[in-house]
Every structure is written in structure tokens, then in C-alpha cells.
């Protein structure tokens, strides 16, 4: 009762139809969006597809008021509106969940929601927001503890906090930029059911994804962008994965690659009984041991949060090893510095690419040699050899098809997928003995994913070994010679990828079967 006296109701804004008309936007004279038309109606889920750098995020940032278009207009229910900043966008009923969450990790769910929530009252703000979170949790089956700190939540839970934030502000249209790339398969299912619930209640959703299966599953309609322009659109019931991929990339994409059988070479990596703690100081890896050989890809399958990140970080020198040993070609690299480990032939594509993979404010060419600046070919005495560095960068950009107008631009201006391509290019450019790759195809479009998978097989053929962490079982089975299943910091099995016992991989991942 008291709360009713003090608190405003958050009501979903009424939008029947939203249109973006002839939207164009350039950065430094290079077009990112050209003459784009997009419309969406109440109760519709529209997919936005396109290669890395096609202009999807730019278009949505315009709708959310982060960028101003050079030309074009936005209409809501037939009336032209102006969106100068996100506050105005929110006031029109538009909400956006960015690919990289914008939450403050040391604050609780309630505190994060209170930030930027107009309806936060002066009296009893916590009580009010807790009540709201409960309300939305019930309505959309969110299941979230409002008093937990953000750092204690999984990626899926953090995403739900972002969605609740948008809904509390009255969002009728929710923009989700690659929402599933950070989620586990179970969390993806939960998200899909939340989105279906929102659709049934009349919300409209714009869903950006590179995963064609998901797009086919939940979208009513798909719009495909190519190099900043509309390449086509289709109702999902009238199209299929292959046609969408062709529309996006302009050619047929191979979804299944056949790997050549290779005999394994000499031992490259040996991990002997290592024990490692996680971020919260509790054991994350429990006596893990395995070996990896030349010409071999070993996949680590498992539900995220079972020690994958800690294992990758322990091997590459980012996380201390409490006991046990890691050796590369017989040399002990346990607890050596990341640079020393790199110099021993170990490359790393990290899980959190923005935090650990690049320096966003530096130029492309600086980022292309982040761990290699001390190599003789890039520096002499105290000076960097910029000519060589720039040539090297150009080679990576061309080979990995990093879409950028110049290498003299800051990395933060690249699209998400293109940042990933640059990191991959850098990490494999020196033909590593071991590549530790965590979700290397996250955020890559179908064409780039195909290219990367072929490249990993090429590295394997040339004698490298790869330790591949992936949530995508199809990817694991397609690329790996052996598969380790991780659960609760332990390996449940390490088997050849054609071993029949792997039909129980689901049980092993859930911890209920050990081989
Ligand atoms: N602030 C900026 N300054 C300069 N260029 C930019 C800026 N933001 C985006 N771009 C450029 O605009 C183009 C489109 O980028 P955008 O992020 O919209 O692509 P995307 O379709 O979202 O790609 P991805 O699938 O990789 O996320 C890219 O070439 C990118 O480098
Ligand atoms: Mg993007």
C-alpha cells in the first residue's frame, strides 16, 4: 500500500509500428549504413543478419540514440520522432541489450537497476525495486536474486538483469545485439522462452545473431545486411539456413568440413596433476592431467563455468597453478609469465577478448603485435620498426579479411567480429606450437567461421597442436581428434572423437557419468 503511494508504475510504452526509413551513416567518409529501411510491428521478432562489419550494430546504435544518422528518419506509429540520445530512445519505449554488458560488477542487481531507472523513488528505493524485479521475474520467468552482486551471476543471469532494466523503463521494443554468443546452450533455451513470452505480450524484438539455427527458430522475419546495405529479407517460414547464408555472404557456405586423418606427432603439451583456484578463491581445477601432440586438436567440452576458463588461463600464465606442472616440449613452464610462455610457442585466444585480447584505445597495428613487439623483426634496440609492423598488420588484415578502412584506426572502432579476426590473425601468425583457443568462433559470421575452422585444421596439418574450448558440440566433433569432457574441475573422460562412448557426452557434461 505504502509503495503505491510513493512509486510510479512502469508501464510498457505503446508502439504499434516502428519504421527506420532510408537511414545512412558514414564514419570518416566510409559508409556503414546506406539507405536502410526496416520496420517492425507489435508482437514481431525480426532477425538482423549480416557478415562481420555489415553495419548491424551501427544501425541499432542509431535507433538507440548512440549515433545520429547522416540522413533518414525514424517513425513511431506513423509519426516522425527524433532520438538524440539513449534517454530519449528509452522515453520512446526502446531498450537495448549490448553484446558487452554495461553492468557494474561490484554492485548488486538492485543497485544496477536503480542506476538509470527514472522511477527510483526517494523513499525505500530498494524495497520498490525488489518488488519490481519480483514482478517481472514472475511475469517472464526470469529467476533472478535481486540482492546478489553482478560478479556472482552467470552471463545468462547478467543478461536477464539487462532485460529487466529495459522492461522497467517501459521498453516496448527490445534490441538484442548478439545475445546468445555468451550463453550456454541451456541459457539460450531459457532466453528463447523469455523472448517468446515477451512476444505474446505484444513486445517487439530485434534480434542480432550469427547463429542461423536460432534465427530460424525464433524470428518471424529476417533482414540481411551486406556491406552496409540491405541484401534481402524473408519470412523465416519461407526460407532456410542455406539461402540465408547465401544472401549474407554472396556464396554457398560449407556447414560441415571433413577433416583429414593425421597420425599424431611428438608430444607438445603435458599437464600433470594441476590444481588451480577460481576467482572466488575456491578450487576450480582438481588434479587435471592430459597430453597433447603435434597434428592434434583436443577439444574441451562442458557447460561453461566448470573450469574451462581457469584451465586456459593456467596454461597461458594468467592464473597461478597451486600444484602440479605444465610442460611444453619437455620444458617446464609452470607459473612462468605469459610472455615467457608465449616465447615457448604458446598462443592464446582468450574468452574475454575485449578485456584480455586487445588494447581498445591503441591502433590496429599496435594490437597486431601485442605480445610480439620484442621480437627482433619488430624492434631494434629501443625503437619499434613501424614499417615492418604495418606490413605485418596488412598481411593479417588481408588474410583474415578484417574489414576496416585503414590499419591506422583504433581497434575500438572495429566491429565485434572483426576484433576477433584480428586477435586470431595475430595469435596464429607465428605458427604456434600450441594454440589455446577459447570459443574462437564467438561473434564470427558464418563465412568467417568456416574460414577459421579450415585454418585450425591447416595449423594442425602443419604440425601445431590446438586446445579448443567450445560450447558448440558440433564444432568440437567436426574439428577435434580427441575430446575431453570437463565437469566441476575434473575430466570425466578423454576419448577419441569417434569413440562410441561419446554418445553419453550429455551425461558426462552433467557429471553423472565418468569413464
Ligand atoms: N565509431 C566508429 N568509428 C569508425 N568506424 C566505425 C565506428 N563504429 C562502427 N564503425 C565501422 O562501421 C562498420 C560497421 O560496423 P558494425 O559494428 O555496425 O558491424 P556489425 O555488422 O555489427 O559487425 P559484427 O557482426 O562484427 O558485430 C565497420 O566497418 C566498423 O569498423
Ligand atoms: Mg556488431
Amino acid at each position: 500500500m505504502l509503495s503505491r503511494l510513493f512509486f510510479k508504475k512502469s508501464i510498457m510504452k505503446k508502439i504499434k509500428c516502428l519504421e527506420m526509413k532510408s537511414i545512412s551513416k558514414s564514419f570518416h567518409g566510409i559508409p556503414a549504413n546506406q539507405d536502410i529501411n526496416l520496420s517492425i510491428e507489435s508482437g514481431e521478432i525480426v532477425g538482423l543478419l549480416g557478415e562481420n562489419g555489415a553495419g548491424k550494430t551501427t544501425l541499432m546504435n542509431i535507433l538507440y540514440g548512440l549515433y545520429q544518422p547522416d540522413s533518414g528518419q525514424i517513425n513511431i506509429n506513423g509519426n516522425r520522432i527524433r532520438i538524440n540520445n539513449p534517454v530519449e530512445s528509452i522515453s520512446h519505449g526502446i531498450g537495448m541489450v549490448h553484446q558487452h554488458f554495461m553492468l557494474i560488477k561490484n554492485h548488486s542487481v538492485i543497485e544496477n537497476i536503480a542506476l538509470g531507472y527514472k522511477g527510483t523513488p526517494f523513499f525505500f528505493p530498494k524495497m520498490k525495486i525488489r518488488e519490481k524485479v519480483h514482478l517481472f521475474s514472475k511475469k517472464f520467468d526470469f529467476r533472478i536474486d535481486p540482492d546478489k552482486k553482478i560478479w556472482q551471476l552467470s552471463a545468462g543471469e547478467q543478461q536477464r538483469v539487462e532485460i529487466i532494466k529495459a522492461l522497467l523503463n517501459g521498453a516496448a521494443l527490445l534490441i538484442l545485439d548478439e545475445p546468445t554468443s555468451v550463453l550456454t546452450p541451456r541459457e539460450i533455451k531459457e532466453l528463447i522462452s523469455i523472448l517468446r513470452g515477451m512476444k505474446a505480450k505484444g513486445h517487439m524484438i530485434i534480434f542480432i545473431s550469427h547463429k542461423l539455427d536460432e534465427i530460424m527458430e525464433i524470428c518471424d522475419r529476417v533482414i540481411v545486411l551486406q556491406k552496409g546495405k540491405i541484401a534481402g529479407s524473408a519470412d523465416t517460414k519461407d526460407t532456410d539456413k542455406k539461402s540465408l547464408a547465401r544472401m549474407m555472404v554472396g556464396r554457398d557456405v560449407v556447414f560441415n568440413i571433413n577433416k583429414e586423418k593425421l597420425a599424431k606427432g611428438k608430444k607438445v603439451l603435458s599437464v600433470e596433476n594441476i590444481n588451480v583456484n577460481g576467482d572466488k578463491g575456491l578450487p576450480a581445477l582438481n588434479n587435471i592431467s592430459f597430453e597433447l601432440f603435434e597434428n592434434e586438436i583436443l577439444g574441451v567440452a562442458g557447460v561453461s563455468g566448470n573450469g574451462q576458463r581457469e584451465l586456459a588461463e593456467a596454461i597461458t600464465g594468467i592464473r597461478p597453478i597451486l600444484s602440479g606442472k605444465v610442460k611444453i616440449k619437455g620444458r617446464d613452464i609452470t607459473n612462468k609469465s605469459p610472455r615467457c610462455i608465449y616465447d615457448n610457442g604458446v598462443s592464446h585466444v582468450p574468452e574475454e577478448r575485449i578485456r584480455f585480447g586487445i588494447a581498445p584505445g591503441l591502433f590496429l597495428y599496435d594490437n597486431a603485435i601485442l605480445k610480439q613487439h620484442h621480437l627482433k623483426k619488430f624492434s631494434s634496440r629501443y625503437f619499434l620498426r613501424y614499417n615492418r609492423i604495418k606490413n605485418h598488420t596488412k598481411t593479417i588484415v588481408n588474410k583474415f579479411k578484417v574489414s576496416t578502412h585503414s590499419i591506422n584506426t583504433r581497434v575500438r572502432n572495429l566491429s565485434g567480429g572483426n576484433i576477433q579476426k584480428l586477435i586470431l590473425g595475430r595469435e596464429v601468425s607465428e605458427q604456434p606450437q600450441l594454440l589455446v583457443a577459447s570459443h574462437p568462433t564467438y561473434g564470427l559470421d558464418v563465412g568467417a567461421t568456416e574460414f577459421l575452422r579450415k585454418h585450425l585444421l591447416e595449423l594442425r596439418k602443419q604440425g601445431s597442436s590446438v586446445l579448443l574450448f567450445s560450447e558448440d558440440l558440433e564444432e568440437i566433433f567436426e574439428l577435434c581428434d580427441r575430446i575431453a569432457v570437463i565437469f566441476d574441475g575434473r575430466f570425466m573422460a578423454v576419448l577419441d572423437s569417434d569413440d562410441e562412448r561419446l554418445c553419453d557426452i550429455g551425461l558426462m557434461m552433467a557429471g553423472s557419468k565418468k569413464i
Side-chain angles (χ1 to χ4, degrees):
M1 184 61 206
L2 190 63
S3 65
R4 286 213 187 107
L5 278 178
F6 285 105
F7 312 134
K8 264 195 299 180
K9 255 191 162 182
S10 58
I11 304 167
M12 176 175 130
K13 302 275 182 332
K14 293 248 175 337
I15 306 183
K16 267 199 191 140
C17 164
L18 182 142
E19 296 162 296
M20 297 184 87
K21 283 187 159 177
S22 300
I23 300 284
S24 295
K25 172 79 183 168
S26 297
F27 295 103
H28 317 292
I30 318 262
N33 287 158
Q34 289 181 64
D35 200 20
I36 295 187
N37 294 306
L38 179 152
S39 69
I40 181 164
E41 289 180 6
S42 164
E44 226 187 351
I45 304 186
V46 172
L48 194 54
L49 258 180
E51 285 184 287
N52 297 128
K56 306 176 293 294
T57 300
T58 304
L59 187 68
M60 290 303 107
N61 281 345
I62 290 174
L63 190 53
Y64 195 54
L66 286 167
Y67 292 148
Q68 291 305 307
D70 300 333
S71 60
Q73 68 179 67
I74 299 170
N75 293 347
I76 286 185
N77 300 337
N79 302 317
R80 182 170 186 175
I81 54 154
R82 297 220 174 266
I83 302 176
N84 292 311
N85 50 49
V87 175
E88 288 182 22
S89 179
I90 291 166
S91 73
H92 285 297
I94 300 167
M96 182 161 176
V97 178
H98 298 268
Q99 189 178 356
H100 304 286
F101 305 137
M102 312 264 181
L103 302 169
I104 302 171
K105 297 219 160 169
N106 289 338
H107 284 194
S108 71
V109 172
I110 291 188
E111 287 158 353
N112 268 277
I113 289 177
L115 284 170
Y117 175 44
K118 272 204 213 151
T120 305
F122 187 75
F123 296 108
F124 316 113
K126 280 202 168 179
M127 187 176 103
K128 154 84 171 169
I129 291 176
R130 190 176 287 108
E131 190 184 288
K132 290 275 181 202
V133 173
H134 272 306
L135 196 84
F136 280 101
S137 301
K138 250 203 193 120
K139 194 164 161 193
F140 297 105
D141 199 17
F142 276 130
R143 274 172 284 148
I144 215 98
D145 179 349
D147 293 304
K148 271 202 175 159
K149 303 266 190 227
I150 297 298
W151 64 265
Q152 293 174 309
L153 304 181
S154 72
E157 288 170 321
Q158 292 186 30
Q159 189 175 63
R160 276 176 247 160
V161 176
E162 292 272 26
I163 296 178
I164 295 179
K165 261 181 102 166
L167 293 177
L168 261 170
N169 281 317
L173 166 66
L174 188 65
I175 304 164
L176 297 160
D177 194 352
E178 293 189 39
T180 56
S181 52
V182 289
L183 302 188
T184 63
R186 212 187 95 206
E187 286 176 328
I188 293 176
K189 277 204 181 121
E190 289 168 1
L191 175 70
I192 288 179
S193 104
I194 287 172
L195 298 184
R196 288 219 170 100
M198 290 175 61
K199 173 184 158 81
K201 291 187 173 63
H203 287 270
M204 36 178 94
I205 293 157
I206 300 182
F207 186 88
I208 303 180
S209 176
H210 292 295
K211 298 184 189 163
L212 300 176
D213 290 314
E214 280 165 23
I215 293 258
M216 292 298 291
E217 188 178 344
I218 64 157
C219 296
D220 302 297
R221 209 153 43 83
V222 192
I223 295 173
V224 180
L225 295 187
Q226 202 186 43
K227 299 193 171 71
K229 294 184 186 156
I230 299 257
S233 66
D235 286 349
T236 36
K237 63 176 181 355
D238 302 329
T239 188
D240 57 22
K241 253 170 72 171
K242 262 199 155 164
S243 326
L244 287 177
R246 203 178 309 121
M247 214 189 281
M248 234 170 97
V249 186
R251 63 176 172 85
D252 279 331
V253 174
V254 184
F255 285 102
N256 288 307
I257 305 170
N258 282 327
K259 69 169 180 284
E260 195 182 328
K261 271 239 169 251
L262 293 177
K264 64 183 177 192
K266 292 187 193 130
K267 196 196 295 176
V268 174
L269 169 73
S270 68
V271 172
E272 299 165 12
N273 292 315
I274 61 166
N275 286 286
V276 169
N277 277 352
D279 288 344
K280 297 170 197 168
L282 300 171
L285 295 180
N286 213 317
N287 269 327
I288 290 233
S289 299
F290 64 97
E291 293 175 333
L292 184 49
F293 298 83
E294 289 171 348
N295 307 100
E296 194 188 36
I297 302 183
L298 174 67
V300 180
V303 176
S304 87
N306 275 290
Q308 293 94 319
R309 185 156 66 89
E310 289 81 359
L311 179 56
E313 290 178 356
I315 294 173
T316 52
I318 303 176
R319 186 174 290 272
I321 296 170
L322 304 177
S323 64
K325 276 194 170 23
V326 179
K327 291 180 186 160
I328 289 288
K329 290 247 164 128
R331 279 187 304 272
D332 190 347
I333 56 155
T334 318
N335 289 329
K336 291 276 186 308
S337 70
R339 170 153 155 197
C340 166
I341 293 175
Y342 177 81
D343 289 342
N344 274 287
V346 181
S347 280
H348 183 205
V349 175
E351 191 171 304
E352 291 188 60
R353 61 187 177 210
I354 305 287
R355 241 175 101 197
F356 294 121
I358 50 156
L362 295 186
F363 292 104
L364 228 85
Y365 55 80
D366 294 315
N367 276 280
I369 54 147
L370 268 193
K371 280 180 284 181
Q372 300 151 352
H373 56 277
H374 61 290
L375 300 183
K376 266 209 175 117
K377 60 180 180 180
F378 296 133
S379 64
S380 67
R381 291 173 184 265
Y382 302 110
F383 299 102
L384 287 170
R385 302 169 116 163
Y386 275 107
N387 271 345
R388 291 189 181 191
I389 292 171
K390 288 190 176 180
N391 283 337
H392 172 73
T393 311
K394 280 181 198 153
T395 312
I396 294 179
V397 164
N398 291 335
K399 193 165 170 197
F400 282 79
K401 301 191 184 73
V402 179
S403 126
T404 174
H405 64 278
S406 156
I407 58 163
N408 300 317
T409 184
R410 294 185 200 276
V411 162
R412 63 166 173 254
N413 292 336
L414 289 189
S415 79
N418 282 303
I419 292 178
Q420 182 75 342
K421 290 190 207 172
L422 181 73
I423 295 174
L424 288 162
R426 178 186 73 211
E427 294 301 316
V428 301
S429 66
E430 297 295 314
Q431 175 81 37
Q433 308 222 20
L434 167 69
L435 172 68
V436 178
S438 298
H439 315 288
T441 53
Y442 265 14
L444 292 189
D445 63 54
V446 280
T449 300
E450 177 199 12
F451 172 83
L452 175 92
R453 290 183 181 170
K454 284 186 176 160
H455 199 86
L456 292 182
L457 290 175
E458 191 53 40
L459 272 179
R460 159 186 182 261
K461 198 170 167 186
Q462 289 164 0
S464 295
S465 54
V466 180
L467 184 61
L468 174 72
F469 294 87
S470 177
E471 290 273 337
D472 183 344
L473 286 181
E474 235 173 84
E475 178 166 277
I476 291 240
F477 277 102
E478 202 171 286
L479 298 177
C480 299
D481 301 283
R482 282 184 302 142
I483 298 173
V485 186
I486 194 167
F487 174 77
D488 201 16
R490 291 186 177 89
F491 279 168
M492 304 302 278
V494 184
L495 297 168
D496 286 346
S497 61
D498 53 6
D499 193 309
E500 284 179 0
R501 286 172 290 177
L502 279 170
C503 66
D504 283 336
I505 191 164
L507 292 177
M508 296 178 213
M509 282 166 64
S512 51
K513 187 163 181 178
K514 193 166 191 291
I515 288 171

